């Protein structure tokens, strides 16, 4: 390949790259705004600068296959990101004749921090997109990837916060501020937890026992599907996929450009 053709090949790749940045980047950013706006409207909490409002929803928890119906009963109301009412009845395998009953009241709600945290990450992703002028002319791939990666990270955090709850130790569960919202308080060898996982709300009970100096615990669990949560996770997954597609296109074009430049230089 002579010098003229080398220059033409590199120039063609450069033009393809410029076309991609000019015609695809802001188009995808606009699509991401629409998708994230749609996701934000489904959150049951107020998200600053977005059209959201606090909603109240009632759930009747259904026991899992490992837990019988008479062992665990729970009816609760969630207002925004807090459980503002709950009525719980527990029976343990080792004490089948003992029934534990406790409640959560509106004056001492149980916070579901995952909802607020996820909403905050979503807001940050949208703020990052809004801060990019629609007429901004990117001149390099690095500039695009910097903005895109900032948005991608926040969307990923918003999704994972809801889909994959942080694992907590038994000590963390026992000493949680939320445990103090229960009335009457449960015995010291019992802890309960509410959390979101994938498209479900989970209610878990942990019973601690000691045998030979080893601490063990038995777990009972019930759950309920959460409609808005499923819709939000789908929308966030779509946004992640669309953003990653754009990132791959840019990276592939950039990689192809550098590869060709090196090959031509070595000939």
């Amino acid at each position: 390949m002579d010098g003229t053709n080398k220059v033409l090949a590199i120039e063609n790749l450069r033009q393809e790259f410029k076309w991609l940045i000019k015609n695809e980047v802001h188009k995808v950013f606009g699509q991401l705004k629409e998708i994230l706006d749609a996701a934000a409207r489904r959150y049951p909490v107020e998200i600053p600068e977005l059209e959201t409002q606090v909603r109240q929803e009632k759930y009747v928890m259904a026991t899992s296959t490992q837990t019988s119906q008479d062992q665990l009963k729970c009816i609760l109301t969630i207002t925004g990101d807090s459980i503002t009412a709950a009525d719980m009845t527990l029976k343990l395998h080792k004490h089948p004749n003992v029934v534990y009953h406790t409640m959560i009241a509106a004056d001492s709600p149980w916070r579901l921090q995952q909802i607020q945290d996820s909403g905050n990450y979503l807001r940050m992703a949208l703020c990052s997109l809004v801060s990019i002028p629609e007429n901004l002319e990117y001149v390099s791939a690095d500039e695009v990837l910097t903005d895109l990666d900032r948005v991608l990270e926040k969307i990923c955090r918003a999704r994972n916060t809801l889909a994959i709850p942080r694992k907590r130790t038994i000590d963390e569960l026992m000493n949680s501020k939320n445990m103090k919202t229960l009335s009457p308080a449960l015995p010291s060898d019992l802890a309960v937890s509410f959390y979101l996982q994938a498209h479900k709300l989970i209610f878990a009970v942990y019973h601690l026992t000691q045998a030979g100096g080893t601490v063990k615990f038995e777990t009972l669990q019930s759950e309920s599907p959460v409609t808005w949560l499923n819709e939000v996770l789908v929308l966030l997954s779509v946004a992640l996929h669309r953003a990653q597609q754009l990132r791959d296109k840019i990276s592939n074009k950039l990689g192809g450009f550098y590869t060709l430049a090196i090959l031509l230089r070595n000939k």
Side-chain angles (χ1 to χ4, degrees):
M1 185 181 291
D2 59 32
T4 301
N5 287 333
K6 289 181 182 180
V7 172
L8 284 174
I10 294 176
E11 183 58 28
N12 285 338
L13 267 178
R14 184 179 287 111
Q15 290 303 321
E16 288 179 14
F17 193 69
K18 286 177 65 177
W19 184 93
L20 174 63
I21 290 180
K22 181 179 180 180
N23 293 279
E24 285 286 312
V25 172
H26 286 293
K27 176 183 175 183
V28 172
F29 284 172
Q31 292 171 346
L32 291 177
K33 286 180 192 175
E34 291 179 5
I35 296 168
L36 296 184
D37 274 334
R41 287 194 294 272
R42 286 162 170 79
Y43 278 73
V45 294
E46 288 185 3
I47 300 178
E49 300 159 19
L50 301 176
E51 294 181 8
T52 61
Q53 58 183 359
V54 175
R55 293 198 309 275
Q56 188 175 86
E57 297 174 324
K58 187 174 181 178
Y59 297 93
V60 178
M61 310 299 285
T63 52
S64 61
T65 54
Q66 293 81 18
T67 307
S68 65
Q69 185 64 46
D70 65 340
Q71 281 186 293
L72 203 56
K73 295 180 181 180
C74 179
I75 299 174
L76 59 88
T77 299
I78 297 179
T79 306
D81 63 350
S82 299
I83 299 172
T84 50
D87 190 293
M88 295 158 273
T89 303
L90 328 172
K91 288 171 65 175
L92 305 175
H93 288 299
K94 293 188 177 182
H95 308 291
N97 297 322
V98 179
V99 177
Y100 300 96
H101 178 258
T102 188
M103 301 178 71
I104 295 172
D107 59 353
S108 185
W110 180 298
R111 286 290 304 280
L112 292 168
Q113 191 63 41
Q114 287 170 270
I115 298 176
Q116 191 63 58
D117 288 348
S118 177
N120 287 339
Y121 286 128
L122 178 60
R123 176 176 174 265
M124 285 187 276
L126 276 165
C127 286
S128 293
L129 287 167
V130 171
S131 69
I132 301 170
E134 292 184 9
N135 60 351
L136 175 63
E137 294 185 8
Y138 288 102
V139 296
S140 72
D142 286 342
E143 289 179 345
V144 179
L145 293 178
T146 296
D147 284 344
L148 185 56
D149 285 346
R150 186 182 300 115
V151 175
L152 257 172
E153 181 206 2
K154 296 301 184 292
I155 299 174
C156 191
R157 283 177 175 268
R159 185 185 183 282
N160 289 347
T161 297
L162 296 175
I164 309 170
R166 183 175 75 83
K167 290 186 177 180
R168 299 180 184 274
T169 66
I170 287 297
D171 284 342
E172 285 179 314
L173 292 168
M174 288 290 188
N175 298 315
S176 165
K177 290 181 180 179
N178 281 327
M179 283 290 293
K180 296 178 175 60
T181 68
L182 302 180
S183 179
L186 291 172
S188 60
D189 60 349
L190 279 176
V192 301
S193 177
F194 292 92
Y195 58 90
L196 303 173
Q197 183 172 348
H199 62 284
K200 297 176 181 178
L201 171 67
I202 307 293
F203 169 46
V205 177
Y206 308 91
H207 178 219
L208 272 66
T209 58
Q210 287 193 356
T214 303
V215 177
K216 298 181 179 180
F217 60 90
E218 169 193 357
T219 304
L220 304 176
Q221 184 172 301
S222 62
E223 60 191 37
S224 175
V226 180
T227 301
W228 73 263
L229 182 58
N230 186 57
E231 293 173 352
V232 164
L233 289 174
V234 168
L235 287 165
L236 293 179
S237 295
V238 170
L240 281 172
H241 179 67
R242 191 69 191 93
Q244 190 60 52
Q245 276 185 322
L246 176 61
R247 198 188 196 290
D248 290 344
K249 280 185 182 181
I250 294 172
S251 297
N252 290 339
K253 286 288 184 184
L254 188 61
F257 176 79
Y258 286 132
T259 300
L260 180 59
I262 292 171
L263 289 174
L264 292 176
R265 187 165 61 242
N266 292 336
K267 285 189 176 181

